[in-house]
Amino acid sequence: MSEIPETTSDVVWQSSPPGSIYDYIKVASFSIGPDGLVDQWSRRAVDLFGMTSAEVRGKDPVEVFMPTELRPRGHRQVAEILDGKEWTGLVPFRMPGEGGAHGVAEVYVMPSETESGERAALCIVVDVRALRGIETDLAASQAIFGQSPFGFLLFGTDLKVQRTNERFATVFGGTADEHRGRTVHDYLSRPEAERMNASLRRVLETGEAAIDLQIVGAAPNSTDRRHWSINLYRVHSGSGRPIGVAGIGTDVTRRHVAAREAASARRNLALLNEASARIGNSLDLETTARELLDVAVPGFCDLASVDLYQGLLTGDEAPPGRWDAPHPESYGGGSAELRRVAFASAVSDAPLITTPGCSKQDGTPTAVGEVHRYSFNSPCSTALRSARVQAIPGEEGTLVQSTLAVPMVAHDTVVGLVQFSRTKGSEPFGERDQALAVELAARAAVCMDNARLYRREHERALILQRSLLPPGDPEAAGLDIACRYLPGNTATEVGGDWFDVIELPGHRTALVVGDVMGRGLRAAVAMGELRTAVRTLALLDLEPAEVLSALDEIARGLGSPSGTQQASRVAHKSREADLSEVYLATCVYAVYDPVTRRCTFANAGHLPPVLVEPGEEALLLDVPPGMPLGVGGEPFEEVEVELPEGALLALYTDGLVESRDHPLDEGLRAFRSALTDPARPGVGPHSSPALRPDAPPAIGAVRSLEDVCDHVLTTLDTRHGEDDIALLMARIQGLPLEAVGDWRLPREPRSVGRARELARAQLVSWDLEALVDTVELLVSELVTNALRYGEGEIRLRLLRDRTLVCEVWDAGLVQPRRRRARDTDEGGRGLQLVGLLSAAWGSRRTPRGKTVWFELPLPDGDSTAEPTVEQLLSMF
C-alpha cells in the first residue's frame, strides 16, 4: 500500500506499486494439506521456484524440492509440522529449470486446520539470496553514508532534513538525529539559505544535478567564514518516484584561501610587470615619480605621494639620504629638505594625504611642488632614517584606513619617500603588500638614481667614444674611404664594434674592422684596448696573420686575471668569467698596397669582406674565417687578392646584416644587393626580405662612397639598437704608373752612384727638384748599407702620393739598427742622418729579405725643417 488516508471514514485500499519492498525480498507462500501434499501454490511461489501450480499441486514438497540426501529429515520435519508444531529455518531446495541449481529458502511454517478439522500447514518462503543481497546493500549504504568524510544530508520533498551523517553533525553540532526536520535557514544566512533553497527546488523539479554550488557561512559558535562546495542530486524510489534531494558538502575554505592568495600573487606579479614596463621610461625625476603613482593607483592603493630629497633634485653629488649621512638632528631636529613631486588619488575630491605624524612640521598637508621637512620622531622620518618601511594605522574620523611609508632606496642611498594609503572599506595592507610596496619603491628609486647619474656617465661615455674611433675622415694612398659607426646602446652611445685605417710604410694601408662580444661601456673599454694593440702591432709592419696571432695573445691576457688578481681568483670566478667573455672578439685585418693593387686579408672569426667589381654583382671574398680572438690554439691564414681599379671593398660587423627578424644569410644577400649597382635589371633595394619596406627607391648608380654608406644604412632593415653597427668602405684607386719609380740594381759598388742618378732623374720628372739633394744623400746611405750588410740583388723604389717614399730592398735578413758612433769612428752615422733629414724612416721584413724606407713631405706640404748645427754635431 502506497498511501493511507488520514481519515478512517473512507478507507481506500490500493495495491503496492511495482518496486515495493516485497518485490525485492521475494516473499512467496504455499500450503500443505493433511496428507502432506501441496494443495495451494501462490503466484510468487511460481516466480521463486520456477514451477507452475499444476506442476506442484498434489505432490510431496520434500520429494520435489529437496535433495535426495536430505529427504528423510524433510519427511520427519513435515510430520512434526502436521502434528501442530511451528517451525522456522533454512531449507535447501532444488530449483527446477536452472540446471539443477540449489538455493536456500527461509521458511516460516504455521500449523492450520481445514474445514473438517484436519491439521494442515501454511508456509511463508523468503529467498535467502535476495535477503542477503538487501542486507549487504543496506550495510554498504550505511557504511558510505555514515563513514563518509563529507557532510551528507537527505532532504525530503518538503525540503526538510530527513537524515544527516556524523560528519555533518560534527561540523554543525549535536547528533545526527537532532538535525531531522530542520531547513537550510537553520544553518545559513538568509541570502545564502534562499539561494540554497532555490537550488533544491530546481533539482527536485527538473532532476538535473547541481554541481559545485558555492555556499558561504559560519559554523555554530564561530565567526570564521567557511566556504562549502555542495553537490545536489534527486533521489528516487524503486518505482522512479522522487522522494527527496541528497546533498554532499565539502569544506573548501583552504582552497578558497589558496586561490585568493594565488590571485593576490598574480595581481602583484602583474603589477610588477606593469611597473617594469612603465617606470623609468624617462630620465626626468618628476616624470618617473608620476609613472610610479600611475602604476600604484588604483591597482595597489587608493592614495599615494612621492617626496624626493631636495639635494637630489638640485644635482648634488652626495644626496643627504645616504645611510652614512650626518645625524638628522643637524637638519634642525627633523629630516632633510624634501620636495613633494607627485600625488595621485583614486577617490574623487580626496584631500592631500595627511598620514598621522607625517605631515609637515606645522601640521598642514603638503602640496605638490612644496619643499618641507618631517619631524624627527615621525614615522616618515624614521622610515627615511632607517631605510625600513613603516606601517601607520589610520585615525578615527579620517579617510585613510592605513598607510605604508616606504623609503626609496637605490645603491645604499635613500633618495626619497613614497606613501601608499588605503581608505576605509578597502582591505588593509598585509605582509605581501609591504613586500610589493618596497619593490615598487625600489624600482622607482633605481630609475631616479640612474637619472641623476646619467648626465655624468653619459658625458664620460661620449669622451671615451670619441677617443676610441679615428678622428675625422680617414685618408689613405690609393683609397677613397668612407665609414659609419652606430652604437647599439643608444643610452651611452658606445659599443664594442670598431674600425680603423692605419697608414703603413710604402703608402700601404691597414684596414681593420672588429667586434667585441658584448655591448655597452665594458665592451667599449675592451674594444679600446684591442684597437690600441692593433695600432701598435701594425706599426711593427707585421704580416696580417702575425698581427692577429699577437692580438689573440693580447686578448687572452686581457680576459684572464693577472698579477695581483691571482690571489682572489677563486673568490671572483664568476667575475673573471664575465671579463673573459667580454674580451672575446672577432676581427678582419687587411693590408692594401696601392702600387700593386693587391690586398692581403687575415680573419679571426669575422664576417667575410664584400667586393664589388665595376659592372659586377657584389661577392663575398673567400677568406678563411679562423677562430675569434681570445680563443687561441689555431693559426691564422692569409689570402692575397688583386683588386681591380674602381672596385668597392666593404668591411662590416654583424649588426648590419643580422637581427632577430631575419637570419644572417638573408641579411648578407640584402647587403650584397644594396652594394650592387641599383640600375642593373633584377637588382634593387627590394630584392630581399631583409631590406627595409620603406627604403627609398634607387635612382641609378651611387657616385660617392658617402652616398653608398647612406644608401646601405637606409636600405637595409638593420633594426638599429639591437647591436652595434660598423661599416668601412674603400674604393680602389691605386697609384698611377707615373707615380712609381722602380729599379733593380746589381750588387756592386757602382750601384750607389746609379741609384743617385735614377732618383735625381725621377724627381726632376715629378717637378720635385727641391728634394733632389736630400733624396740623393739618403738614397746613397741606404744603398751603401744594403751593399755592406745585405745580400742579393738591390731594389730601389720611389713612390709619389701625398708624400714621397723611398724604399731600398735586399735579400738580407739582418734589420738595420740605429746607434751612436764614437768620436773616432769614420762611419756608422748613416741612419742617424736618415733620421734627421726624413719625416719618418724604418724597416720591415719581406718574404725574401727586408725593406728599409724613409719618407719626405712634398715641397707644397709641411716641409721638414733643415737640421740644426747642434743636431749635425750630435752625430759626432
Side-chain angles (χ1 to χ4, degrees), residues 30-35 39-40 81-86 109-123:
F30 65 92
S31 61
I32 302 176
D35 54 0
D39 60 0
Q40 289 184 0
I81 291 171
L82 294 177
D83 286 340
K85 183 179 180 181
E86 291 187 357
V109 182
M110 295 169 287
S112 63
E113 293 183 355
T114 65
E115 293 180 356
S116 60
E118 293 180 303
R119 293 182 178 182
L122 176 63
C123 301

Side-chain angles (χ1 to χ4, degrees), residues 121 213 290 313 337 388 639 791:
L213 177 64
R290 287 193 296 270
L313 297 170
E337 287 188 343
R388 295 181 181 275
V639 172
E791 300 177 4

Side-chain angles (χ1 to χ4, degrees), residues 492-766:
T492 61
E493 298 187 14
V494 296
D497 291 10
W498 90 92
F499 66 89
D500 210 343
V501 179
I502 307 171
E503 294 187 39
L504 300 178
H507 287 316
R508 293 171 305 126
T509 304
L511 304 176
V512 188
V513 168
D515 184 0
V516 176
M517 296 183 184
R519 298 174 60 182
L521 192 58
R522 294 183 65 193
V525 172
M527 174 267 281
E529 295 179 350
L530 292 178
R531 176 179 177 270
T532 302
V534 171
R535 278 192 159 266
T536 303
L537 294 170
L539 294 178
L540 296 178
D541 212 355
L542 302 176
E543 295 297 323
E546 294 177 339
V547 170
L548 293 186
S549 296
L551 195 63
D552 178 61
E553 294 292 336
I554 294 173
R556 282 190 286 169
L558 294 175
S560 60
S562 60
T564 58
Q565 293 176 323
Q566 295 289 344
S568 60
R569 176 180 296 179
V570 176
H572 299 283
K573 281 186 177 180
S574 61
R575 174 176 171 272
E576 293 167 3
D578 293 340
L579 287 175
S580 63
E581 182 179 356
V582 168
Y583 286 117
L584 288 176
T586 63
C587 178
V588 60
Y589 184 89
V591 175
Y592 171 68
D593 189 341
V595 178
T596 61
R597 283 188 285 100
R598 301 187 70 85
C599 191
T600 304
F601 297 91
N603 193 354
H606 203 80
L607 295 174
V610 175
L611 179 65
V612 186
E613 298 186 13
E616 301 291 337
E617 294 185 358
L619 298 175
L620 296 176
L621 292 179
D622 187 12
V623 179
M627 299 297 292
L629 301 175
V631 175
E634 293 292 334
F636 298 97
E637 301 182 39
E638 293 180 358
V639 172
E640 190 176 57
V641 180
E642 183 174 352
L643 306 178
E645 186 76 17
L648 191 64
L649 179 66
L651 306 179
Y652 53 96
T653 56
D654 57 358
L656 184 68
V657 295
E658 186 177 24
S659 73
R660 298 186 183 96
D661 297 331
H662 59 262
L664 177 60
D665 292 343
E666 184 178 309
L668 288 174
R669 286 196 301 270
F671 182 40
R672 291 168 54 195
S673 177
L675 289 177
T676 303
D677 183 359
R680 296 185 56 203
V683 179
H686 298 285
S687 60
S688 172
L691 297 173
R692 289 171 53 93
D694 57 346
I699 53 174
V702 181
R703 294 182 178 179
S704 70
L705 277 184
E706 295 296 331
D707 292 339
V708 173
C709 289
D710 293 338
H711 175 72
V712 168
L713 292 179
T714 56
T715 301
L716 293 183
D717 190 9
T718 59
R719 292 290 192 270
H720 178 225
E722 293 182 2
D723 197 3
D724 306 329
I725 296 175
L727 175 63
L728 176 61
M729 307 192 73
R731 177 169 284 130
I732 308 302
Q733 296 176 344
L735 287 182
L737 293 178
E738 60 271 15
V740 179
D742 195 352
W743 307 276
R744 296 182 183 274
L745 302 172
R747 190 171 187 79
E748 54 187 31
R750 64 178 181 176
S751 293
V752 178
R754 177 61 177 163
R756 289 198 297 267
E757 294 174 359
L758 294 172
R760 183 188 307 111
Q762 186 67 63
L763 292 178
V764 171
S765 67
W766 287 340

Side-chain angles (χ1 to χ4, degrees), residues 127-356:
D127 188 349
V128 174
R129 293 181 302 172
L131 195 61
R132 296 293 181 264
I134 292 174
E135 291 176 350
T136 302
D137 292 342
L138 288 175
S141 176
Q142 182 60 33
I144 295 174
F145 182 82
Q147 301 173 17
S148 172
F150 309 112
F152 187 92
L153 300 95
L154 182 61
F155 295 91
T157 55
D158 56 357
L159 303 187
K160 292 183 178 180
V161 177
Q162 291 186 348
R163 188 177 181 187
T164 65
N165 66 350
E166 292 296 331
R167 175 59 181 168
F168 182 86
T170 300
V171 174
F172 288 94
T175 63
D177 291 338
E178 291 175 353
H179 290 273
R180 291 183 179 179
R182 294 183 180 180
T183 66
V184 293
H185 288 276
D186 296 318
Y187 307 105
L188 302 174
S189 63
R190 183 175 180 179
E192 292 292 275
E194 291 178 352
R195 194 160 64 90
M196 181 73 172
N197 261 341
S199 298
L200 288 170
R201 292 191 188 95
R202 185 166 53 253
V203 172
L204 188 62
E205 293 171 0
T206 64
E208 295 181 1
I211 305 299
D212 197 20
L213 177 64
Q214 298 294 314
I215 297 296
V216 180
N221 303 322
S222 175
T223 58
D224 295 338
R225 287 169 58 88
R226 312 298 295 177
H227 293 261
W228 291 287
S229 173
I230 307 297
N231 297 316
L232 303 176
Y233 60 94
R234 192 168 68 182
V235 181
H236 306 85
S237 66
S239 62
R241 177 174 54 87
I243 60 174
V245 177
I248 299 176
T250 305
D251 191 337
V252 293
T253 304
R254 291 185 179 180
R255 188 173 71 187
H256 272 263
V257 172
R260 186 170 62 250
E261 292 180 353
S264 176
R266 286 193 298 270
R267 182 198 64 186
N268 293 349
L269 182 59
L271 204 63
L272 289 177
N273 289 337
E274 184 182 4
S276 300
R278 298 180 61 180
I279 298 176
N281 294 320
S282 170
L283 293 174
D284 181 74
L285 299 178
E286 296 181 2
T287 301
T288 302
R290 287 193 296 270
E291 290 170 348
L292 169 63
L293 299 192
D294 289 342
V295 171
V297 179
F300 176 67
C301 62
D302 302 314
L303 303 167
S305 67
V306 176
D307 299 324
L308 297 181
Y309 277 116
Q310 182 70 359
L312 175 71
L313 297 170
T314 56
D316 292 348
E317 284 293 321
R322 288 192 60 85
W323 293 355
D324 55 358
H327 201 273
E329 277 86 348
S330 60
Y331 302 118
S335 67
E337 287 188 343
L338 297 108
R339 184 194 304 172
R340 178 148 296 177
V341 295
F343 172 79
S345 171
V347 182
S348 60
D349 301 329
L352 299 177
I353 291 181
T354 55
T355 303

